[in-house]
Amino acid sequence: MLIAGNWKMFKGPVETAAFCLALRDAELGDADVVVCPPAVSLEVAVQLLAPTEIAVAAQNVHWEPDGPYTGEISAPMLRELGVYGAIVGHSERRQLFGETDETTAKRAEAALAAGLEVIACVGETGEERERGETEDVLRRQVSVLPDDDGLVVAYEPVWAIGTGKTATPATAQDAHAFVKSLLDRPVLYGGSVKPDNAGELLAQPDVDGALVGGASLDVDSFTAICRATRPG
Ligand code: 13P
């Protein structure tokens, strides 16, 4: 099972170094672990976690290898740094920065072609769920994603992100099974995953791990979630 910590816009290089040093000594159970620091902190994370099995991924990646794209970072640049993968299509990018299904797909394809692993985020808003559109939204978002061994999907219902409102295990299971019926890839759950709800979510047969926001910023809560994974 994969547990990925999406730090969002938290932790510069100094805090990142302290976190990674603590993580090196922590008990992680059987989980495959990934941390996703902000771009400026990737290098120190890669260096400090190099002696471990813990991987480092970026929070976004552009589809061109280089060019006049102010503020963007390319897949070859991430590879040069020793980064293992990238998140694409996070709902915060979709809602706040104009990311679309098409740009998400382009980012995913370029990253995979460059040899990065990709965590592609999908998920419905609260209004979409209330209107009964969850499956339509997931179908639209998943249909553009490449069927590739390097791709993992993260089901992150927007209404559960940063709200403390977690999807029930049954709701998560239903959505994951639906996503897998469209694209046969591992699916992580994201949205207010905490140490006290991780076990029941990760016990669902189609929940293959978690993409953790707030609770990934603290070594104790992040590693408690890692230890909540079921074996295998
Ligand atoms: P929270 O765990 O803070 O709800 O964030 C989830 C998320 O957006 C992970 O990408």
Side-chain angles (χ1 to χ4, degrees), residues 42 52 64 97 119 141 156 170 205 218:
L42 287 169
T52 75
E64 293 292 342
F97 302 102
I119 299 174
Q141 293 176 333
E156 298 208 309
D218 174 80

Side-chain angles (χ1 to χ4, degrees), residues 2 84 108 112-113 115-119 145-153 183-186:
L2 179 67
Y84 132 105
L112 291 163
L116 293 171
E117 305 284 312
V118 168
I119 299 174
L145 298 177
D147 185 359
D148 188 289
D149 285 351
L151 185 106
V152 171
V153 179
L183 184 65
D184 188 17
R185 296 299 309 148

Side-chain angles (χ1 to χ4, degrees), residues 6 8 90 92 156 160-163 190-194 211-215:
N6 174 12
K8 309 191 178 183
H90 192 279
E92 287 154 13
E156 298 208 309
I161 294 179
T163 58
S192 299
V193 177
K194 309 287 178 207
L211 182 56
V212 186

